[in-house]
Amino acid sequence: MMREPYRIPAAGLPERVTIYEVGPRDGLQNESAIVPVEVKAEFVARLAAAGHRVIETTSFVHPTWVPQLADASELLAGLERVPGVRYPVLVPNQRGLDRALEHGVREIAVFASATESFARKNLNRTLESQFEMFEPVVARALDHGLTVRAYVSMCFGDPWEGPTPVGQVVAVGRRLLDLGCSELSLGDTVGVGTPGHVSALIEAFGGPSRLAVHFHDTYGQALANTLAALQAGVTVVDASTGGIGGCPYAESATGNLATEDLVWMLHGLGVETGLNLESLVETSTWLAAKLGRPSPSRVVQALGTAPATDQDVKE
Amino acid sequence: MMREPYRIPAAGLPERVTIYEVGPRDGLQNESAIVPVEVKAEFVARLAAAGHRVIETTSFVHPTWVPQLADASELLAGLERVPGVRYPVLVPNQRGLDRALEHGVREIAVFASATESFARKNLNRTLESQFEMFEPVVARALDHGLTVRAYVSMCFGDPWEGPTPVGQVVAVGRRLLDLGCSELSLGDTVGVGTPGHVSALIEAFGGPSRLAVHFHDTYGQALANTLAALQAGVTVVDASTGGIGGCPYAESATGNLATEDLVWMLHGLGVETGLNLESLVETSTWLAAKLGRPSPSRVVQALGTAPATDQDVKE
């Protein structure tokens, strides 16, 4: 097995991409195993050591909904922050912001919906009234000097309404930016999007400024969609170490885009990430043992196993 | 779960792509299970019924090397050929061509190497002397009115020599075209390539004319690489139903690009394939039971399981 891709740059891509690591939050909250807090602390520390500069660390969503992250306060209280590394935390409401502020969090994320159906099911709000929920949270966070990212979920489609009109996503996103959010993470929550849809959505926003992308690999499209986003100029890509985050409620293992598979492509394209691929693979291998299931990342599957023999490529 | 992608066409792509289905040959030869000939016959029949118009059916490689396909003669003897469907067969040498001709095969494929090391290891030839092996096979096939495709393996790198120089791949490919091959399938046999490498290789050939691409998903790059090939104008893409073909000699399951994941992207991009995705998923689900392991295709994993519930998208 080869341990690193060859670097053959392509024209028209960013020189550098920031990988916004969501494994400790979006990954772990969607695993059926509940991981001890000391394992989470080591996970976050390993990610920083591998070169990550943005690690979404946990969430203050109520533990009734996300028992996997019920230890958010304990994790943050003990977190050893590496200088230069950002540790954003997902915050759903004022109470969550209170707790984030208590723990000295400097960056939060809020979670919005691009569709009426998912707003009702996930947030218990209408598409319109969700903004009333975010407005005071964002305003108070900004007052405290925090940075606020907004996730926009179901940007490509949802299971109830079919394809999400790009104009509707843009309208939701603009409202969030107008509230003072500094970055939108456009999420394909159910993984149905394809590359032309990605290009169309970014174009509808008038370009990649302040946009990040967040793909799930449910239908195997996450990396191809990321390539389309890079070609459209996006420089912030969400990913999860080892591709963890297969939804525990679905039978199939369909988590986030795996950081390692993304890094293989980016380094192959000559795009800098600042990340050490070998360290990421080691971390995913270590974490897979804790989670009790193999990593869905192809790179981890390839590099986490025994070294090559001639027979590996027998035809 | 959504059963079909939304069609949001992208600019600059082919209107139609031919999927060159390699499951019965490249897929099954690299599975550890040996499948009975009647299952293979049904597999090929199902593929044709799903809309495939090119199905690489088997190989006349010696059974010592590929016991999985030792029944090639029996399979071809009983094959019910659907009008309009091509059933190419891999042929390594004169003896293989004899057998192909006996069975009325109208299209063959030969298997070449782009690197010295793999030519020696896989073909027991030098990079140069492999052409002496192909020349009489191709000439005689053409005399009999057959069409000949040439696989070029290790086009992006091999485990011994590092990245394969694009000029070397072009030189090998041109020699094969000069012998009379009508199509080159550029293979990333060990799955290490990235999209810029794909673009560079196609450009080095002077464009996509007579080129097909053949990606393995070892590092998760197969679909992103395919997107790059489509953007460069390639209209023939090799894929394997369900992504079968994980090499039995490697521990990880890293087979061919899965036809279903490719179809999801192509149909989403508005590119026609003539294929019925639901039928392909049914076939992969059926075959996975015969092979005794789940399909590595994400689409098959998603659509082969139970229908959606609201909980599938809980955030």
Side-chain angles (χ1 to χ4, degrees):
Chain A
M1 285 296 174
M2 277 171 270
R3 315 294 303 176
E4 287 282 343
Y6 315 127
R7 295 189 184 229
I8 319 259
L13 296 182
E15 283 183 22
R16 188 179 175 87
V17 158
T18 298
I19 297 184
Y20 185 103
E21 172 63 39
V22 299
R25 199 277 302 172
D26 196 19
L28 291 183
Q29 83 169 40
N30 288 303
E31 291 287 332
S32 49
I34 296 189
V35 173
V37 67
E38 59 273 14
V39 171
K40 288 176 183 165
E42 182 173 348
F43 182 28
V44 173
R46 281 172 174 261
L47 294 173
H52 275 296
R53 289 297 166 264
V54 198
I55 305 165
E56 194 165 283
T57 305
T58 187
S59 163
F60 280 119
V61 173
H62 195 281
T64 303
W65 303 113
V66 184
Q68 291 89 344
L69 304 184
D71 55 6
S73 285
E74 195 182 347
L75 177 62
L76 289 173
L79 196 68
E80 291 187 34
R81 291 175 171 79
V82 175
V85 177
R86 297 152 52 199
Y87 298 92
V89 172
L90 188 73
V91 159
N93 51 30
Q94 293 276 30
R95 175 73 191 110
L97 179 57
D98 290 341
R99 296 174 68 196
L101 291 169
E102 283 164 23
H103 288 288
V105 168
R106 301 305 306 151
E107 187 168 342
I108 66 166
V110 298
F111 190 86
S113 172
T115 73
E116 188 71 51
S117 299
F118 194 59
R120 290 174 186 270
K121 287 170 191 286
N122 191 60
L123 303 173
N124 202 26
R125 297 272 172 159
T126 64
L127 189 61
E128 178 60 31
S129 72
Q130 66 179 332
F131 300 105
E132 297 163 15
M133 183 171 68
F134 300 132
E135 193 279 332
V137 175
V138 176
R140 195 153 66 95
L142 295 175
D143 281 348
H144 283 84
L146 273 58
T147 302
V148 185
R149 159 186 254 226
Y151 286 100
V152 187
S153 55
M154 302 291 182
C155 287
F156 296 86
D158 80 10
W160 310 282
E161 300 181 21
T164 312
V166 293
Q168 185 172 316
V169 181
V170 171
V172 168
R174 291 245 167 89
R175 295 274 292 270
L176 293 161
L177 291 173
D178 289 346
L179 291 181
C181 297
S182 56
E183 182 172 276
L184 299 177
S185 172
L186 304 177
D188 188 4
T189 316
V190 287
V192 295
T194 45
H197 201 162
V198 175
S199 310
L201 181 57
I202 295 165
E203 191 180 326
F205 268 102
S209 174
R210 300 201 282 179
L211 299 183
V213 289
H214 182 107
F215 295 117
H216 284 244
D217 207 32
T218 318
Y219 297 87
Q221 310 297 306
L223 198 59
N225 286 344
T226 302
L227 180 59
L230 297 172
Q231 291 172 336
V234 167
T235 60
V236 181
V237 180
D238 297 6
S240 169
T241 308
I244 60 170
C247 181
Y249 304 102
E251 286 185 36
S252 53
T254 54
N256 289 276
L257 170 62
T259 305
E260 292 87 348
D261 298 9
L262 171 61
V263 167
W264 189 278
M265 182 175 84
L266 290 172
H267 288 185
L269 288 164
V271 177
E272 287 185 34
T273 66
L275 289 164
N276 182 305
L277 181 58
E278 200 74 31
S279 300
L280 293 173
V281 170
E282 283 173 18
T283 295
S284 285
T285 305
W286 165 83
L287 185 64
K290 306 289 184 189
L291 293 172
R293 72 175 186 107
S295 163
S297 158
R298 304 285 194 212
V299 169
V300 174
Q301 287 170 14
L303 299 186
T305 55
T309 69
D310 285 0
Q311 289 191 311
D312 280 355
V313 290
K314 192 171 189 308
E315 179 59 38
Chain B
M1 285 296 173
M2 277 170 270
R3 315 295 302 176
E4 286 283 342
Y6 315 127
R7 296 190 185 228
I8 318 259
L13 296 182
E15 284 183 21
R16 188 179 176 87
V17 157
T18 299
I19 297 184
Y20 185 104
E21 172 63 39
V22 299
R25 199 277 302 171
D26 196 19
L28 291 183
Q29 84 170 40
N30 288 302
E31 291 288 331
S32 49
I34 295 189
V35 172
V37 68
E38 59 273 15
V39 171
K40 288 176 183 166
E42 181 174 348
F43 182 28
V44 173
R46 281 172 174 261
L47 294 173
H52 275 296
R53 289 298 166 262
V54 198
I55 305 164
E56 194 166 281
T57 305
T58 187
S59 163
F60 281 119
V61 173
H62 196 281
T64 304
W65 304 113
V66 184
Q68 290 90 341
L69 305 184
D71 56 6
S73 285
E74 195 181 346
L75 177 62
L76 289 174
L79 196 68
E80 291 186 35
R81 290 175 171 79
V82 175
V85 177
R86 298 151 53 197
Y87 297 91
V89 171
L90 189 72
V91 159
N93 51 31
Q94 293 277 31
R95 175 73 190 110
L97 179 58
D98 290 340
R99 297 174 67 196
L101 291 170
E102 283 165 23
H103 288 287
V105 167
R106 301 303 307 151
E107 187 168 342
I108 65 166
V110 298
F111 191 88
S113 172
T115 73
E116 188 71 52
S117 299
F118 194 59
R120 290 174 187 271
K121 285 169 191 287
N122 191 60
L123 304 172
N124 203 25
R125 298 272 172 159
T126 65
L127 189 62
E128 177 61 30
S129 71
Q130 67 179 333
F131 299 105
E132 297 163 16
M133 183 171 68
F134 301 133
E135 192 279 331
V137 175
V138 176
R140 195 152 67 94
L142 295 176
D143 281 348
H144 283 84
L146 273 57
T147 302
V148 185
R149 159 186 254 228
Y151 286 100
V152 187
S153 55
M154 302 291 181
C155 286
F156 296 86
D158 80 10
W160 311 281
E161 300 181 22
T164 313
V166 293
Q168 185 172 316
V169 181
V170 171
V172 168
R174 290 245 168 89
R175 293 276 293 268
L176 293 161
L177 291 172
D178 289 347
L179 291 181
C181 298
S182 56
E183 182 171 274
L184 298 177
S185 173
L186 305 176
D188 187 4
T189 316
V190 287
V192 295
T194 45
H197 201 162
V198 175
S199 311
L201 181 58
I202 295 165
E203 190 181 327
F205 269 101
S209 175
R210 299 201 282 179
L211 298 183
V213 289
H214 182 108
F215 295 117
H216 284 243
D217 207 31
T218 319
Y219 297 87
Q221 309 296 305
L223 198 58
N225 286 344
T226 301
L227 180 59
L230 297 172
Q231 291 172 336
V234 167
T235 60
V236 181
V237 180
D238 297 5
S240 170
T241 308
I244 61 170
C247 182
Y249 305 102
E251 286 185 35
S252 53
T254 55
N256 289 276
L257 170 61
T259 305
E260 292 88 348
D261 298 11
L262 172 61
V263 167
W264 188 279
M265 183 175 83
L266 291 173
H267 288 185
L269 288 165
V271 177
E272 288 185 33
T273 66
L275 289 164
N276 182 305
L277 181 59
E278 200 73 32
S279 300
L280 293 173
V281 170
E282 282 173 20
T283 296
S284 285
T285 305
W286 165 84
L287 185 65
K290 307 289 184 190
L291 292 173
R293 72 175 185 107
S295 163
S297 158
R298 303 283 194 214
V299 169
V300 175
Q301 288 170 14
L303 299 186
T305 55
T309 70
D310 285 0
Q311 289 191 311
D312 281 356
V313 290
K314 192 171 189 308
E315 180 59 37

